Amino acid sequence: MSELRVTLGGSERVVDAGTTAGQVLDGGSRIVAARVGGELRDLEYVVRDGDVIEGVEIDSKDGRDILRHSTAHVMAQAVQEIFPEAKLGIGPPVENGFYYDFDVENPFTPEDLKRVEKRMRELVKQGQRFSRRVVSDEEAREELAAEPYKLELIGLKGGAADEESVEVGGAELTIYDNLDAKSGELCWKDLCRGPHLPTTRNIPAFKLMRSGGAYWRGSEKNPQLQRIYGTAWESRDKQNEYLKMLEEAEKRDHRRLGAELDLFSFPSEIGSGLPVFHPKGGIIRRELENYSRIRHEQAGYSFVNTPHITKGHLYEVSGHLDWYRDGMFPPMEVEGAEYFLKPMNCPMHNLIFSSRGRSYKELPLRLFEFGTVYRYEKSGVVHGLTRVRGLTQDDAHIYCTREQMQDELHSLLGFVLDLLRDYGLDDFYLELSTRNDEKYVGTDAEWEEATEALREAAERSGLELVPDPAGAAFYGPKISVQARDAIGRSWQMSTIQLDFQMPQRFNLEYQAADGSRQRPIKIHRALFGSIERFFGVLLEHYAGAMPPWLSPVQVVGIPIADEHVPYLEEVAAKLKARGIRVEVDSSSDRMQKKIRNAQKQKVPFMLLAGDEDVSKGAVSFRYRSGEQNNGVPVDEAVAEIVKAVEDRIQV
């Protein structure tokens, strides 16, 4: 038998021809696949001379994706056994789970999902083997003649990089067979590029979560299929940890909290994804914006304001009509010209820069706006405040010289992180989004220079830097600040994008020290992303218990009896004079109910007063946590509350 040389862990090994990757790795149940020359392969892959092989562990990102995709196949098999008429769509892994789409006569019910999950557990115990085979287009069409959506995917082989590429991709078509563990007979099959787990027994833990409608390939012009979502993990403990997090996330859902705390709503009369903020929500939003304004003024930003609509020509110059039109609302015709609701502020800021001659002495010029923009999000992705159609960006654009670029990026990133910390977020990592080779403008050299400048600024921050290949918009690479909330979920917050293209498209210039005309560099920066989304994220981060400085009502005075109301109103007047938002509950409710009401509204401080408090010029100080400090002199209570608000502490 001939011998081959392969590399494993940096060391060369000699193996017999016909040896599989699984035999080379021999890593036990934790190794579920192989990475060969950078490509993921099944453990049954037969190695070739010169292969460089790495093991893929089940708890790695790739390992979890393979686990979840394999579980999706098991689910699809179970569905077709229970509902033989079901036609297959696609079944990719997604963050924390998987889904599979089916064309069925009736939507799935919760009882249907229980039946499917029960059958899946039986299939897992059977230990069916996932077996890959290459087929021609003709063979695939013949074998899958009864699966119209799979036939469509065959025609997409090697096409655009979209979600279908999970199922079909590369230069060859492959089908995965689920084979009986004992007899080797075919149990089920699916068109798929893989890789997969060795057997269904390698699935340690899974659970079906819910079902819902989804348009085929994401287009409203296509049939609506039924999608089943599930989750799968490398251990029961990890799955239980995730399910517990979901329970906590449900309690923190900003949509529920928004209604309970009377902060905002989405009137159907206005339209999907268009929120209105109620008085209490308006206070939070105002405080978010006011503090941001103060910090921006201190950092040398100039405030500007731009209209909500513009002639379409502006976005032709910027390139957005070419690249972003699907995300814009349809135009309206006014006096023979097409006008658009603006989807972003940056082209208008370019016009402010070019409104007169600029000197190098004015740079860096930092323009800032709370600018409301409008984006056409499909109804299926609109989600509370975190995915809306009308949003207000805290949008800044910095125009600087090439020599200033690196220092400006470094200071800008520091400014962003410090301000986010002031709002209570302090666990960050960064993503560096680089060029999408199918969707960009500019030269290779410009993109390389911009990318390396951002990389250097990110590395100077000392934070973890995660690559996001092909994630950049068409005019430049970007850094995204990812923040983890109180229960460990990651949210994309601020973005910093370096742009060499817009200044060229708008012919922006400044006069340099030597009298020559030079092109500025442009930096795009949204710190919150949008006020609406940031509001929703903070509401979930704090579970509705906003820190005192952001709380709509910071103090509630609770009298023991009606005769104590005037005393508490005097205390309230002292607090109001110091800028504190305070109410006195003079309702007919009993004291304990007043306390419960204040706790439900998540008010940070309650000041109780009875005969003894009045006689001593004091209050009983009750905190949101339930702790109480009795007999606190009024002036001390006022000072403590004012300090908590001014120092932006959490209580």
Side-chain angles (χ1 to χ4, degrees):
M1 182 177 290
S2 61
E3 294 182 336
L4 307 174
R5 296 182 182 276
V6 298
T7 301
L8 179 66
S11 301
E12 190 173 80
R13 293 192 181 186
V14 177
V15 299
D16 292 331
T19 300
T20 65
Q23 291 169 330
V24 172
L25 291 164
D26 192 23
S29 60
R30 288 185 58 79
I31 302 295
V32 294
R35 185 176 287 101
V36 182
E39 293 189 14
L40 293 173
R41 300 282 189 177
D42 301 300
L43 292 181
E44 289 301 307
Y45 166 80
V46 177
V47 302
R48 301 173 183 174
D49 192 46
D51 278 346
V52 178
I53 303 170
E54 302 172 67
V56 177
E57 296 189 345
I58 194 170
D59 59 354
S60 67
K61 182 185 183 306
D62 286 332
R64 283 174 172 165
D65 283 348
I66 292 167
L67 159 66
R68 290 162 180 165
H69 190 36
S70 299
T71 311
H73 273 227
V74 173
M75 180 176 73
Q77 180 180 350
V79 166
Q80 287 201 313
E81 288 183 4
I82 297 170
F83 304 95
E85 78 286 356
K87 304 302 181 186
L88 300 174
I90 60 170
V94 293
E95 185 178 7
N96 296 321
F98 60 90
Y99 67 79
Y100 213 114
D101 291 340
F102 304 93
D103 190 346
V104 287
E105 186 173 347
N106 299 305
F108 294 111
T109 66
E111 291 72 26
D112 291 336
L113 265 59
K114 289 178 182 177
R115 292 172 62 197
V116 171
E117 186 172 299
K118 180 181 178 183
R119 180 54 183 154
M120 288 174 68
R121 299 199 183 283
E122 294 169 353
L123 295 174
V124 166
K125 288 180 181 178
Q126 289 178 14
Q128 292 182 6
R129 182 163 57 88
F130 292 98
S131 180
R132 176 182 185 270
R133 57 189 170 91
V134 178
V135 294
S136 66
D137 283 22
E138 293 73 17
E139 290 168 333
R141 291 183 186 280
E142 183 177 347
E143 290 193 44
L144 300 168
E147 297 287 356
Y149 301 101
K150 295 296 183 182
L151 294 177
E152 184 175 333
L153 293 181
I154 293 170
L156 294 172
K157 180 178 62 124
D162 53 22
E163 62 181 356
E164 281 75 40
S165 65
V166 175
E167 292 293 320
V168 183
E172 60 185 10
L173 283 177
T174 54
I175 285 178
Y176 272 80
D177 297 325
N178 286 24
L179 304 177
D180 183 87
K182 295 180 180 178
S183 67
E185 292 182 0
L186 176 66
C187 301
W188 189 77
K189 62 186 173 184
D190 197 2
L191 184 72
C192 179
R193 70 176 181 181
H196 280 285
L197 302 173
T199 79
T200 58
R201 281 191 179 274
N202 292 103
I203 300 174
F206 70 90
K207 181 178 177 60
L208 299 189
M209 307 299 290
R210 59 189 173 88
S211 64
Y215 289 107
W216 171 237
R217 298 183 60 209
S219 172
E220 297 173 2
K221 298 177 182 178
N222 290 335
Q224 187 175 68
L225 308 183
Q226 291 299 306
R227 177 173 293 178
I228 299 179
Y229 293 90
T231 190
W233 294 84
E234 66 270 22
S235 68
R236 290 189 182 276
D237 286 345
K238 280 292 182 183
Q239 179 162 293
N240 289 338
E241 183 182 311
Y242 172 68
L243 295 175
K244 185 177 180 181
M245 186 275 288
L246 286 184
E247 289 179 12
E248 182 61 30
E250 187 174 352
K251 296 176 188 175
R252 294 170 177 261
D253 190 320
H254 73 277
R255 296 168 297 175
R256 181 177 63 81
L257 290 169
E260 291 177 358
L261 301 177
D262 192 20
L263 302 178
F264 56 84
S265 60
F266 293 86
S268 59
E269 295 88 342
I270 294 177
S272 176
L274 299 169
V276 295
F277 286 82
H278 302 184
K280 289 182 178 180
I283 290 172
I284 296 176
R285 179 168 176 152
R286 184 193 69 203
E287 292 299 322
L288 290 174
E289 293 180 2
N290 283 351
Y291 183 66
S292 177
R293 283 190 176 93
I294 292 169
R295 290 296 306 274
H296 278 84
E297 287 172 356
Q298 293 169 346
Y301 284 79
S302 299
F303 284 81
V304 298
N305 193 262
T306 59
H308 292 238
I309 64 172
T310 176
K311 291 180 180 178
H313 179 68
L314 181 66
Y315 290 109
E316 290 176 4
V317 175
S318 69
H320 288 103
L321 276 182
D322 289 334
W323 298 99
Y324 198 72
R325 189 167 190 139
D326 288 346
M328 298 169 65
F329 277 92
M332 55 189 117
E333 187 172 323
V334 180
E335 297 176 345
E338 280 192 338
Y339 282 75
F340 286 86
L341 289 169
K342 66 174 177 179
M344 57 275 300
N345 304 295
C346 50
M348 294 186 179
H349 289 190
N350 292 339
L351 299 182
I352 294 173
F353 183 95
S354 64
S355 64
R356 62 171 176 82
R358 299 288 177 180
S359 165
Y360 72 96
K361 294 180 180 180
E362 297 179 75
L363 305 184
L365 176 63
R366 305 181 183 104
L367 303 182
F368 179 86
E369 175 180 13
F370 283 111
T372 300
V373 299
Y374 302 89
R375 297 177 181 177
Y376 176 66
E377 300 282 6
K378 292 182 179 179
S379 57
V381 300
V382 170
H383 182 83
L385 293 178
T386 58
R387 197 75 179 262
V388 293
R389 288 174 169 172
L391 55 142
T392 301
Q393 293 184 310
D394 58 330
D395 214 0
H397 295 97
I398 296 96
Y399 301 87
C400 63
T401 69
R402 231 178 189 87
E403 293 74 26
Q404 294 168 335
M405 176 178 68
Q406 197 63 59
D407 287 342
E408 194 67 17
L409 287 172
H410 177 63
S411 64
L412 177 55
L413 184 54
F415 174 76
V416 163
L417 295 172
D418 285 346
L419 192 50
L420 289 175
R421 290 186 182 104
D422 286 346
Y423 289 105
L425 299 169
D426 57 10
D427 185 1
F428 306 115
Y429 67 95
L430 305 177
E431 274 189 357
L432 177 59
S433 299
T434 50
R435 187 177 75 185
N436 182 335
D437 288 338
E438 296 181 357
K439 193 175 182 180
Y440 76 97
V441 292
T443 67
D444 292 349
E446 288 170 333
W447 275 83
E448 184 177 349
E449 181 183 357
T451 301
E452 289 311 306
L454 287 175
R455 190 190 310 279
E456 182 179 333
E459 290 173 349
R460 285 175 68 183
S461 74
L463 295 175
E464 177 189 4
L465 182 61
V466 176
D468 176 31
F474 66 92
Y475 46 81
K478 67 180 179 180
I479 293 172
S480 301
V481 177
Q482 308 286 331
R484 297 182 182 91
D485 67 10
I487 57 174
R489 296 172 300 177
S490 291
W491 300 88
Q492 180 175 304
M493 292 285 101
S494 312
T495 57
I496 299 172
Q497 189 159 31
L498 192 52
D499 177 10
F500 294 174
Q501 308 309 317
M502 286 289 172
Q504 295 180 37
R505 285 176 168 259
F506 283 81
N507 197 28
L508 303 184
E509 291 183 338
Y510 66 91
Q511 184 171 314
D514 62 2
S516 63
R517 307 299 298 176
Q518 300 293 329
R519 189 85 67 200
I521 302 299
K522 183 177 182 180
I523 303 171
H524 304 247
R525 191 235 65 193
L527 197 147
F528 294 153
S530 79
I531 297 292
E532 292 78 8
R533 186 170 181 275
F534 192 66
F535 190 118
V537 170
L538 282 188
L539 199 57
E540 296 201 7
H541 175 63
Y542 288 116
M546 306 298 277
W549 73 284
L550 288 174
S551 294
V553 178
Q554 295 163 325
V555 183
V556 168
I558 299 178
I560 303 300
D562 289 346
E563 58 264 29
H564 304 124
V565 170
Y567 175 76
L568 281 174
E569 286 178 341
E570 292 177 8
V571 175
K574 290 186 176 184
L575 287 164
K576 289 177 181 178
R578 301 292 299 274
I580 300 301
R581 297 183 288 275
V582 56
E583 297 176 352
V584 176
D585 188 345
S586 58
S587 69
S588 59
D589 291 332
R590 300 183 65 176
M591 183 189 72
Q592 289 302 324
K593 185 174 182 183
K594 292 179 181 181
I595 291 174
R596 286 197 300 273
N597 289 341
Q599 288 175 328
K600 285 181 180 179
Q601 288 299 302
K602 303 185 185 294
V603 177
F605 303 110
M606 286 165 268
L607 300 182
L608 284 67
D611 289 340
E612 186 175 349
D613 296 300
V614 172
S615 67
K616 293 181 178 180
V619 289
S620 293
F621 213 127
R622 186 180 179 90
Y623 300 89
R624 187 157 49 193
S625 65
E627 297 179 19
Q628 190 158 317
N629 187 11
N630 296 328
V632 179
V634 168
D635 288 346
E636 289 184 18
V638 170
E640 181 176 342
I641 291 168
V642 170
K643 180 174 173 54
V645 171
E646 289 179 346
D647 292 351
R648 298 183 303 280
I649 66 170
Q650 171 68 18
V651 298

